[in-house]
Amino acid sequence: IPYLLQRAVNYETEKQYLVQIDYIQPFGQNGKFETGLRSSFRDMTNNYTVTQRDEDDKWFELDGLTNNFVYNENIHALYAIVSNKIKKFSYQAGLRGEITDVKTTLKQTNEINPRRYTNLFPSVHITYDLPKGHALQLSYSKRVRRPQYNDLSPFMTYSDNRNYWSGNPDLNPEFTDAFEIGHIKYLDRASISSSLYYRYTKGKIMTVRRVDDEGNSVTIPENLATENSFGAELTGSYSPYPWWKLDGSFNFFRAITD
């Protein structure tokens, strides 16, 4: 049986620009107000070519397996943070607004998929100092995980004729509400902290593999419904010398994905 000789070549380029302006205004004895603007611009290309050798030892492109993927991402953010400490009670509250503009393009087939969304991300952190170097901490924050450019590319790549991988241009970002309560103990040259946390994620991004009756598989990332994650974390830090610091952590969690 004659064998096929194929080559896959992938050229990637990336250009990234960042513009940021921050302003800090102290007030009172321990208070501080922060605000700022941040804009990031990222342009990426992924030129994927598969060639095959014919009977005359000449290489030719396989049209169905060659394309040039272009990824354009612009993110604009405005944030404000207020923090203060009153006796044993300290707090930090913030709000960040983001406008995200993403466009993906497949050059050969002229497939264009724009994604634009606006979101608000609040956060609150509270600390209460206890006697003998102990402190209690309580926090809430909303987080986002955006699809990466490879997650959005609809162009199929493969390692053999039976297994195909592709991105999903219809992916949405996943959003997480994170709650945490913790305790910290300050020592002379060390600290030990423990915490319990709960995270609720909507639109969880995970890869899903489907296999047809002939045994061919296609794997793509998709937005699932929700994920509930519960966990406990223990961390420690110790500095035997000013130039030497040791850190360690242990995390136990359970995640339930629907």
Side-chain angles (χ1 to χ4, degrees):
I1 299 177
Y3 64 90
L4 297 176
L5 185 60
Q6 297 176 337
R7 294 189 301 197
V9 181
N10 186 25
Y11 292 102
E12 293 187 4
T13 65
E14 179 177 359
K15 296 179 182 179
Q16 188 167 352
Y17 306 93
L18 176 65
V19 179
Q20 184 169 338
I21 301 175
D22 298 303
Y23 173 78
I24 300 176
Q25 175 63 55
F27 64 89
Q29 185 177 1
N30 299 303
K32 184 169 59 175
F33 172 74
E34 303 175 59
T35 186
L37 291 167
R38 177 187 171 100
S39 293
S40 63
F41 309 88
R42 187 165 62 148
D43 298 325
M44 307 179 71
T45 64
N46 188 334
N47 197 346
Y48 187 78
T49 303
V50 178
T51 58
Q52 181 173 302
R53 192 171 68 178
D54 60 17
E55 297 177 354
D56 299 327
D57 290 336
K58 295 181 179 180
W59 294 89
F60 63 95
E61 288 188 2
L62 298 178
D63 294 334
L65 298 175
T66 298
N67 217 319
N68 188 10
F69 178 65
V70 179
Y71 176 85
N72 305 110
E73 176 191 85
N74 301 323
I75 302 175
H76 308 285
L78 171 66
Y79 78 91
I81 301 174
V82 177
S83 60
N84 199 0
K85 183 174 183 179
I86 304 173
K87 295 183 179 180
K88 296 182 178 182
F89 176 78
S90 60
Y91 68 88
Q92 176 179 292
L95 181 64
R96 186 176 81 255
E98 288 187 354
I99 299 176
T100 303
D101 189 1
V102 175
K103 184 175 72 172
T104 62
T105 305
L106 282 175
K107 288 289 190 178
Q108 272 77 348
T109 53
N110 198 31
E111 297 177 49
I112 302 175
N113 193 310
R115 313 290 288 176
R116 184 180 177 90
Y117 41 90
T118 302
N119 302 105
L120 292 175
F121 300 96
S123 63
V124 178
H125 303 274
I126 299 172
T127 302
Y128 185 76
D129 294 330
L130 298 173
K132 298 182 180 179
H134 293 267
L136 292 177
Q137 298 176 329
L138 184 66
S139 68
Y140 162 78
S141 62
K142 186 173 183 179
R143 308 169 185 175
V144 60
R145 178 200 166 198
R146 298 180 183 85
Q148 299 298 313
Y149 83 104
N150 281 332
D151 294 332
L152 296 170
S153 173
F155 185 61
M156 288 283 183
T157 59
Y158 75 104
S159 60
D160 56 65
N161 289 329
R162 296 172 64 88
N163 298 282
Y164 295 84
W165 286 264
S166 143
N168 180 2
D170 295 322
L171 271 183
N172 292 315
E174 64 178 46
F175 298 96
T176 299
D177 292 291
F179 304 85
E180 183 172 331
I181 182 171
H183 167 267
I184 185 168
K185 167 64 176 176
Y186 298 101
L187 302 171
D188 185 21
R189 291 181 293 180
S191 64
I192 301 174
S193 63
S194 59
S195 63
L196 300 174
Y197 62 84
Y198 166 67
R199 296 166 187 166
Y200 174 75
T201 301
K202 293 188 294 184
K204 179 70 175 180
I205 298 175
M206 296 186 69
T207 55
V208 178
R209 174 174 294 177
R210 292 179 173 84
V211 182
D212 61 20
D213 295 337
E214 297 178 355
N216 301 310
S217 72
V218 175
T219 304
I220 64 173
E222 295 188 26
N223 288 109
L224 303 186
T226 61
E227 180 184 80
N228 288 279
S229 179
F230 311 82
E233 187 172 24
L234 178 67
T235 61
S237 176
Y238 175 62
S239 296
Y241 303 100
W243 50 269
W244 188 10
K245 182 180 180 182
L246 301 175
D247 295 295
S249 65
F250 175 79
N251 186 22
F252 175 80
F253 73 95
R254 171 176 170 82
I256 303 173
T257 304
D258 182 9

